[in-house]
Amino acid sequence: MLTSWVPAYSSAFQAEHEEQIIIHKAAKKVFDALGGKIPKIKDLNAEYSTVLSQKQKDYADYRESRNKMRELLTVKANIDTVSERKDRDREIVR
């Protein structure tokens, strides 16, 4: 029965290259989680294109919502201004 091979580093080598060894182990863990295969550039480009088009659609929706909110805030400010004028006019009449 085969067991996974673990390289035995000398303590001097381990101390000198500890950061690179940690990065390598983390990268290996990620690739193993992907089924041990590196994604193809074609697949990555297709996924990026899909994500980018969704981002553009979402941003267009965001801009529309932002403009609607600004319009509503302007209407609210106008109503508040008119309401304050009416209140002042009522006080003057009394």
Side-chain angles (χ1 to χ4, degrees):
M1 182 164 130
L2 293 175
T3 60
S4 69
W5 179 75
V6 178
Y9 303 114
S10 70
S11 57
F13 182 86
Q14 175 100 23
E16 185 177 342
H17 300 284
E18 184 174 6
E19 185 177 341
Q20 290 90 356
I21 292 169
I22 292 170
I23 290 170
H24 171 76
K25 287 180 181 180
K28 182 167 180 359
K29 218 182 237 187
V30 170
F31 287 128
D32 288 344
L34 292 172
K37 296 180 182 177
I38 298 173
K40 295 181 181 175
I41 294 294
K42 183 179 178 182
D43 296 337
L44 292 174
N45 286 337
E47 183 179 353
Y48 178 79
S49 176
T50 302
V51 169
L52 182 62
S53 65
Q54 183 63 41
K55 175 189 169 196
Q56 291 169 341
K57 179 189 168 294
D58 290 344
Y59 193 73
D61 293 343
Y62 161 75
R63 278 192 309 252
E64 184 179 327
S65 297
R66 182 187 63 195
N67 290 339
K68 181 70 174 174
M69 181 192 70
R70 285 180 178 169
E71 180 182 339
L72 291 172
L73 288 173
T74 301
V75 169
K76 180 187 177 300
N78 291 341
I79 290 172
D80 291 344
T81 302
V82 168
S83 177
E84 288 174 9
R85 285 184 185 165
K86 284 183 181 179
D87 290 344
R88 273 192 266 135
D89 290 346
R90 286 183 190 149
E91 289 178 10
I92 292 173
V93 171
R94 288 183 189 177

